[in-house]
Amino acid sequence: MTTSVDLVPGLVTTRDAIAAAYGCGTFQGIEPADEAGMVFVYSDPSAGEEYGYTFDGRAEDDEFGPLYLYTGAGANGHHKPSGRNGSLITHAEKGREVHLFVAHGRVPGSGAMQQRYIGQMVLDPIKPYDVRRGPGKDGLMRNVLVFRFRPAEGTTPAWTEADRMPAAAKSDVEIVEPVVEVPEPVALPKQSGAKVKRTEQHSTAETVADIPAGQRKVLRREGELVKAFVAHLTAAGHKTHSFQITIEGEPGALTPDLYDATDHALYEAKGLTTRANVRMAIGQLADYRRHIPGRRELRVAVLLPSEPTEDVKDLLGEEYVELVYQTDDGGFAGWPLAYNQP
């Protein structure tokens, strides 16, 4: 094994060259290189389009900066968080670097696919993946893991506008399982094995390492809140899931936090009981409910970690949005929901 390939963002190379340099395979989308302490990820959005879904690509930046989505391994059947997918999920705790490539046309005079190196990535430490619905190679619908990559500290990704997620060809609503796992916080690996190419278009401030610790705690609290409420509903005999809502002409998907199928009620959870968070939840619910089957009878509710102020309660009531919040003893005030829709 040699190490003659310098991983500089923007480099155009081949799988064979990476395999020769770092000792990984050449055929799978996720290729661990154990001796090198790396995991190589090869993204090809056109492969998903062939089966009818387009989950791979640069998503819209959120409040924490850039985000790249990548569909995990498994051609048929539900994806599992093990095997090659597990090598991504555990990369931080095992100290392995993740390096992302995207397909970049064919090698001139050859059928081999070129790969453009985007840069070193880390999985989002709060929400490492989403569960999506998509057809397998056999045409059957299944759950797929869509990993959420952030640039590693010190990395300036070499992505372009062409790497953005393609827009959905049609609007659709699919049932998905809510992701209620709350990952344990881990130390994020810094970039160490790759050279950094800085450009005017990108700033190294846009990295997952810049998510404030306090904000991480808020997001974890939100995940823990949903997990506890799902357990509460399940104990009461209720069936829960969520939805994957794709909109024609728009990339990505909308994913409400939780749907109680027994009550026909949609919930949006927030990790802080503030006016700003409640206002955001009201807007999200207004958008989601337009696309849910049986929307006229659908009840919507905000799920909070504690009781809000009286004026915030009045705001929710005037918008016909129910309120459920966690009490000091771990219960949930406001549940079961009242039937006070207009």
Side-chain angles (χ1 to χ4, degrees):
M1 182 177 69
T2 66
T3 54
S4 59
V5 176
D6 289 329
L7 294 175
V8 178
L11 168 74
V12 176
T13 183
T14 64
R15 287 174 178 250
D16 286 342
I18 295 299
Y22 296 99
C24 60
T26 59
F27 297 105
Q28 302 295 322
I30 302 171
E31 290 287 2
D34 294 337
E35 291 187 15
M38 298 178 178
V39 182
F40 293 95
V41 176
Y42 298 97
S43 177
D44 185 357
S46 64
E49 291 178 2
E50 180 181 349
Y51 302 126
Y53 60 84
T54 52
F55 299 136
D56 282 38
R58 172 83 187 277
E60 291 185 8
D61 292 4
D62 61 15
E63 64 267 41
F64 306 122
L67 183 65
Y68 191 95
L69 304 183
Y70 174 76
T71 306
N76 297 311
H78 297 317
H79 280 185
K80 298 180 180 179
S82 56
R84 293 178 186 271
N85 292 327
S87 70
L88 285 179
I89 294 171
T90 61
H91 86 89
E93 63 186 81
K94 292 184 177 180
R96 293 180 174 179
E97 299 176 356
V98 173
H99 296 276
L100 175 65
F101 294 80
V102 296
H104 193 72
R106 301 287 178 180
V107 176
S110 168
M113 181 69 73
Q114 295 185 126
Q115 305 291 333
R116 176 163 45 88
Y117 179 52
I118 299 299
Q120 186 181 338
M121 299 284 134
V122 295
L123 278 185
D124 189 299
I126 302 299
K127 192 176 184 181
Y129 60 83
D130 291 308
V131 178
R132 295 283 185 259
R133 292 285 290 175
K137 196 171 184 179
D138 56 10
L140 299 178
M141 295 298 292
R142 55 14 182 318
N143 293 339
V144 297
L145 302 183
V146 179
F147 291 101
R148 295 161 49 84
F149 287 130
R150 306 280 188 178
E153 183 179 4
T155 293
T156 301
W159 43 42
T160 68
E161 284 299 310
D163 297 320
R164 291 198 174 274
M165 294 177 61
K170 63 177 182 178
S171 298
D172 195 17
V173 178
E174 287 279 349
I175 292 175
V176 297
E177 295 298 321
V179 178
V180 297
E181 294 87 353
V182 181
E184 292 299 320
V186 294
L188 299 177
K190 295 184 179 181
Q191 185 178 29
S192 59
K195 296 181 178 179
V196 177
K197 184 175 77 173
R198 303 183 185 278
T199 67
E200 294 181 357
Q201 289 79 14
H202 306 287
S203 167
T204 55
E206 296 179 331
T207 68
V208 71
D210 292 318
I211 298 177
Q215 190 66 26
R216 291 190 191 181
K217 291 180 181 178
V218 171
L219 295 176
R220 278 183 52 80
R221 188 182 307 143
E222 181 177 306
E224 290 167 348
L225 179 64
V226 172
K227 184 176 183 179
F229 190 53
V230 167
H232 180 80
L233 293 175
T234 301
H238 286 227
K239 302 296 183 182
T240 62
H241 58 76
S242 186
F243 293 100
Q244 171 183 295
I245 305 169
T246 51
I247 310 297
E248 181 179 353
E250 296 184 11
L254 305 177
T255 52
D257 283 330
L258 183 65
Y259 172 70
D260 181 347
T262 304
D263 264 1
H264 191 39
L266 195 68
Y267 290 86
E268 184 64 24
K270 292 300 173 189
L272 284 178
T273 304
T274 64
R275 183 179 298 275
N277 278 269
V278 171
R279 289 170 65 184
M280 182 183 296
I282 292 172
Q284 289 172 286
L285 288 167
D287 190 9
Y288 297 150
R289 73 184 307 171
R290 298 165 50 241
H291 306 284
I292 303 300
R295 63 181 183 180
R296 294 189 181 279
E297 298 79 27
L298 179 70
R299 286 178 290 167
V300 294
V302 173
L303 179 63
L304 298 176
S306 60
E307 184 177 8
T309 65
E310 291 300 319
D311 192 66
V312 168
K313 291 181 185 178
D314 291 342
L315 169 63
L316 289 166
E318 291 187 12
E319 296 300 323
Y320 297 98
V321 176
E322 301 292 334
L323 168 65
V324 176
Y325 62 89
Q326 195 167 30
T327 57
D328 292 339
D329 62 1
F332 289 92
W335 192 90
L337 299 179
Y339 288 83
N340 63 344
Q341 294 294 309

